[in-house]
Amino acid sequence: MGTPHDRHDRPDPYSAGNAEDAPVVRVSVRDPDRMHELGRRIAALLGPGDLVLLSGELGAGKTTLTRGLGEGLGVRGAVTSPTFVIARVHPSLTGGPALVHVDAYRLGGGLDEMEDLDLDVSLPESVVVVEWGDGKVEDLSDARLHVVISRTVGEIAGVAGPGADPADDVREVTVTGVGPRWAKEDLSSLRV
């Protein structure tokens, strides 16, 4: 049974209307190391001004993926969940864009409530990654990368529940490019 934040079984509202034009790639990720590597591969596509929305239930791997993004972008500091501080800025060590990592889980008011974070000011020169940002930050940019992580515990082996083998705790990751920035982008390099 899903949680209120478990949106993997619902239509993606961000690609509605441009589904034919939106590049989409689906990747099965079997362990945290591969999730981290997927983050590194996504980072290779990102530049200043890019917005990334991460969706998935608690424990799905959003922060692990963001650690890979940070490593791929060459930023300073350990990338950890910003749940209690809402946002963390990781400056670049390589002259590239900073990584602004936001956790919007506890924020319910959408972009108005997030205005104090000055994300609109940070976005042009940074890569902004927002966990739990669905319905809250889409107005920041007409282009974004939407990453949905769904857990399929035990589904591969046909076993579900507490006795499921951890090796069967597979993540299905769907990466969708939304808007003009991503319209012609080839996302096939994200397959790990």
Side-chain angles (χ1 to χ4, degrees):
M1 177 183 275
T3 66
H5 298 288
D6 186 7
R7 300 183 192 334
H8 70 273
D9 57 345
R10 297 182 193 153
D12 180 359
Y14 307 110
S15 62
N18 67 346
E20 296 165 11
D21 299 331
V24 177
V25 69
R26 289 176 182 80
V27 181
S28 292
V29 179
R30 296 194 172 273
D31 59 49
D33 289 338
R34 289 189 180 140
M35 185 66 77
H36 186 269
E37 177 59 25
L38 178 58
R40 289 179 50 82
R41 289 174 187 250
I42 291 172
L45 300 175
L46 299 174
D50 283 335
L51 174 64
V52 180
L53 294 181
L54 297 180
S55 302
E57 63 187 54
L58 290 170
K62 295 180 297 297
T63 301
T64 300
L65 184 128
T66 306
R67 280 188 195 108
L69 284 171
E71 185 177 307
L73 291 171
V75 300
R76 184 179 72 215
V79 175
T80 60
S81 179
T83 299
F84 298 105
V85 295
I86 309 299
R88 285 196 166 97
V89 177
H90 299 275
S92 176
L93 294 171
T94 63
L99 172 65
V100 179
H101 185 197
V102 180
D103 187 328
Y105 183 78
R106 296 182 302 147
L107 302 177
L111 193 57
D112 291 337
E113 186 175 343
M114 296 187 72
E115 199 168 279
D116 289 340
L117 298 176
D118 287 333
L119 294 179
D120 55 336
V121 173
S122 300
L123 187 58
E125 69 272 355
S126 304
V127 170
V128 176
V129 176
V130 183
E131 297 184 27
W132 307 101
D134 297 355
K136 298 176 182 173
V137 297
E138 291 84 356
D139 289 339
L140 282 175
S141 176
D142 63 349
R144 61 197 163 278
L145 203 58
H146 191 209
V147 181
V148 178
I149 306 170
S150 303
R151 295 177 76 182
T152 57
V153 179
E155 289 179 19
I156 300 298
V159 179
D165 184 339
D168 295 328
D169 193 7
V170 176
R171 271 59 169 178
E172 295 298 328
V173 182
T174 303
V175 181
T176 306
V178 178
R181 154 73 173 93
W182 297 101
K184 304 292 183 203
E185 190 71 48
D186 180 11
L187 300 180
S188 64
S189 65
L190 300 181
R191 287 187 172 68
V192 290

